[in-house]
Amino acid sequence: MNTSAPATVMVHAKAARTAVHDLTLTFSLPEGASADPAAIRRYIEDLQPGVRSAACTDATLDQVTDVVLVDVLGIEPSTHGGDAGVRDDR
């Protein structure tokens, strides 16, 4: 039988969040490209990442699809003991 009390720790971690944004982009296309959806898609894919990133704002956020743990950087014992505000969402 395990009689030890549960431990509380603080974890410093990195996580990546995948978000879907609903964007409206306006730009000039090369001549003849405006009638070809595949050419328009290639043009948008070839834009510098900063162009698309700048268009992604809180106002354009549609949904967050995933949050993935990237790395655990450190774990420290908490000085607060069994704090009622500690999350355990397993």
Side-chain angles (χ1 to χ4, degrees):
M1 177 191 322
N2 185 356
T3 59
S4 64
T8 301
V9 296
M10 292 187 312
V11 178
H12 182 195
K14 298 263 185 187
R17 180 175 79 171
T18 303
V20 177
H21 289 262
D22 187 5
L23 303 179
T24 301
L25 302 170
T26 303
F27 45 84
S28 297
L29 294 172
E31 188 175 330
S34 62
D36 182 4
I40 294 169
R41 182 181 178 93
R42 281 191 305 275
Y43 184 82
I44 293 170
E45 289 172 345
D46 289 342
L47 289 172
Q48 292 294 323
V51 173
R52 291 187 306 266
S53 181
C56 295
T57 65
D58 288 344
T60 64
L61 182 62
D62 183 45
Q63 62 180 317
V64 174
T65 60
D66 197 13
V67 178
V68 179
L69 180 67
V70 174
D71 195 6
V72 174
L73 303 174
I75 301 171
E76 300 174 22
S78 175
T79 58
H80 299 294
D83 191 340
V86 173
R87 294 182 61 146
D88 185 2
D89 295 335
R90 285 179 279 163

